[in-house]
Amino acid sequence: IPLIGVETTLVKLGLAAGGELQVPPSTAVAGWYTGSPRPGAIGSAVIAGHVDSMTGPGIFYRLSELRAGDRVYVRRADGTTVEFRVNAVETYRKDYFPTAAVYGPAPDPELRLITCGGTFDYATGHYLSNTVVYATEVG
């Protein structure tokens, strides 16, 4: 994501024991959720990354700065690159997360970028919200 200085390899993510999306093992990489389509395939491909940690910014620290029209590029395993255009950037409280809108079917190749956001709850050590970038393949 050139606009915000993100360049990373993607690790594979599944579901954690509680059924929620796994998080990448490091704040320096993002991960593709293997339960979603591959980026560029029909449907909503999901990529997640950390916003920060106790030691500093994470790979998606500036994700909330993206705006409609910005570009995101994903290099696939076969060496080809898929270009996406941001449609919207939304922040949702975790207890009202729109699971169907984020993970549900889509008629075209789409991309969802997810990180934590909103207010940090020092009592629990977690953010109260998630930032989601919605993007559609260009071309």
Side-chain angles (χ1 to χ4, degrees):
I1 312 171
L3 184 67
I4 59 171
V6 170
E7 186 170 338
T8 180
T9 56
L10 295 175
V11 298
K12 292 181 180 180
L13 302 175
L15 294 177
E20 67 276 357
L21 178 64
Q22 285 181 324
V23 296
S26 162
T27 59
V29 297
W32 165 63
Y33 170 49
T34 60
S36 71
R38 292 180 182 272
I42 299 295
S44 303
V46 176
I47 296 175
H50 293 280
V51 67
D52 63 11
S53 71
M54 298 296 282
T55 59
I59 193 75
F60 279 172
Y61 184 75
R62 297 178 58 200
L63 196 67
S64 65
E65 295 177 24
L66 293 177
R67 298 292 176 254
D70 291 341
R71 303 300 168 118
V72 175
Y73 303 88
V74 179
R75 187 174 313 124
R76 298 187 288 198
D78 66 4
T80 60
T81 299
V82 185
E83 180 181 352
F84 294 90
R85 183 179 53 249
V86 173
N87 300 322
V89 180
E90 302 289 344
T91 300
Y92 305 105
R93 285 189 50 91
K94 289 184 179 186
D95 49 355
Y96 294 103
F97 190 82
T99 302
V102 174
Y103 294 98
D108 300 303
E110 297 189 9
L111 182 66
R112 309 290 190 253
L113 304 174
I114 303 173
T115 195
C116 290
T119 303
F120 186 79
D121 183 345
Y122 287 93
T124 64
H126 297 283
Y127 282 90
L128 299 178
S129 301
N130 286 109
T131 297
V132 180
V133 172
Y134 296 87
T136 304
E137 184 180 13
V138 174

